Structures are given as C-alpha cells and as structure tokens.
Amino acid sequence: MLRLLGGALVLLASGSFGITAGVRYYRAARHLQAFCRAVELLRCEINYSLQPLPEVCALVADRLAGPPAAFFRCFAAQLREPVSRDRAAAAAMEAARGLQLPQDAVMAVLELCSALGRYDLDGENRMLDLTASRLQAALARCEAEKRPRAKCYAALGLCTGLALLILAV
C-alpha cells in the first residue's frame, strides 16, 4: 500500500511539473498580448496627451494588469530618477516578477524603451510601429507553438514519472 501511494505521488509530482512547464507558454502569450496593447496605449498617449514619458508609462501601467503593468510602473519610477533609459528598462525588466516573454520580444521592448523620448513625434510613431510588428510576430509564433509544446511538456513529465515508477518497482 505504501509503495502504491509513493508511486502515485511520484507520478503526480512529475506530471504537475510537466504541466507547469507547459503553462509557461500560455502565460507568455498573455504577456505578449498585454505588451501589444501597451504599445497601442503608448501610441495614443504620446500622440494625443503630450505628457512627459514617466506619466505616460504610469498611465499605461494603470490600464494593464500583472507583470506587464509592474514593468511599466517600475519603468516610470526609474525614469523619474537620473538614470539612462537603457538602465531604467533593464531594471524594470528585472523587477517585473513572473514576466514570461520570448527573447526577441524582450529585445524589442528594451529597444523601444531606450528610444522613447529621444525622437520627434514621427520618429516615435515609427519606433512604435516597428515594435508593434515585432511583438505581433512574436505573438503569432508563440500562439502557434504553445499548444504543441504544452502537450509535449505534459507528456514528458508523465513519462518521466512513469519511468521513475518503473525503476523504483
């Protein structure tokens, strides 16, 4: 009876580990969608409200939820201090706990943050367009990959648990 209970616990633990690894892909897609919304919000605020960049980022953070909101909130706070935009964006990326983004999306967001406030309105709009297209491409790739990879990780976790169970018996 004790062996059966131990085997079930091993199988449950490895299966839940695989499922948790698969959930990361769904979370990455949600965060990419939030950053795509954030780029559109930035475009509207920059074009129509003409407020300083820290206030614009704080407004965007108020309209988002979760780690993307934490990123923009921290970026706005960092911009109020005498640090470069690059360091502010890097610090905000580190401070946003639980943020799941692919590496190309991270680079697009960091490049956008370092370019915001440096150019005229047309240059800012071009940078926002470029970032939006890069984030949309990353989102399309993530949407295409998330279901098969999530299934793969769940199956891999269960198979690992079964292998451990067979070795233990």
Side-chain angles (χ1 to χ4, degrees):
M1 181 66 181
L2 193 57
R3 284 184 132 183
L4 184 65
L5 183 61
L9 287 175
V10 166
L11 191 62
L12 181 68
S14 64
S16 63
F17 180 75
I19 290 171
T20 302
V23 166
R24 285 189 212 131
Y25 287 98
Y26 285 91
R27 191 173 298 139
R30 262 197 335 262
H31 292 173
L32 276 169
Q33 289 170 347
F35 271 97
C36 289
R37 261 193 331 271
V39 168
E40 290 305 315
L41 290 170
L42 279 169
R43 180 190 325 273
C44 291
E45 291 296 329
I46 288 172
N47 285 326
Y48 300 116
S49 70
L50 301 175
Q51 293 183 7
L53 189 57
E55 281 75 19
V56 168
C57 290
L59 286 171
V60 169
D62 290 341
R63 294 181 185 163
L64 296 175
F71 170 80
F72 280 103
R73 197 168 291 115
C74 183
F75 184 58
Q78 290 287 323
L79 286 176
R80 290 185 181 104
E81 311 232 344
V83 295
S84 69
R85 287 180 185 86
D86 294 332
R87 286 190 181 161
M93 195 61 74
E94 290 176 12
R97 300 269 184 230
L99 185 62
Q100 301 279 329
L101 289 177
Q103 190 61 33
D104 57 342
V106 169
M107 293 307 297
V109 169
L110 291 176
E111 288 173 11
L112 172 69
C113 291
S114 69
L116 282 175
R118 288 189 180 173
Y119 304 112
D120 62 346
L121 194 57
D122 290 334
E124 300 247 340
N125 282 323
R126 281 194 300 271
M127 189 64 187
L128 287 167
D129 288 338
L130 176 66
T131 303
S133 66
R134 289 172 68 187
L135 288 176
Q136 288 294 334
L139 178 61
R141 192 182 66 254
C142 187
E143 288 288 339
E145 291 176 351
K146 75 177 180 185
R147 188 172 179 90
R149 286 196 181 210
K151 282 183 178 180
C152 178
Y153 278 115
L156 187 62
L158 286 174
C159 289
T160 302
L162 282 174
L164 288 173
L165 189 61
I166 290 170
L167 288 175
V169 173

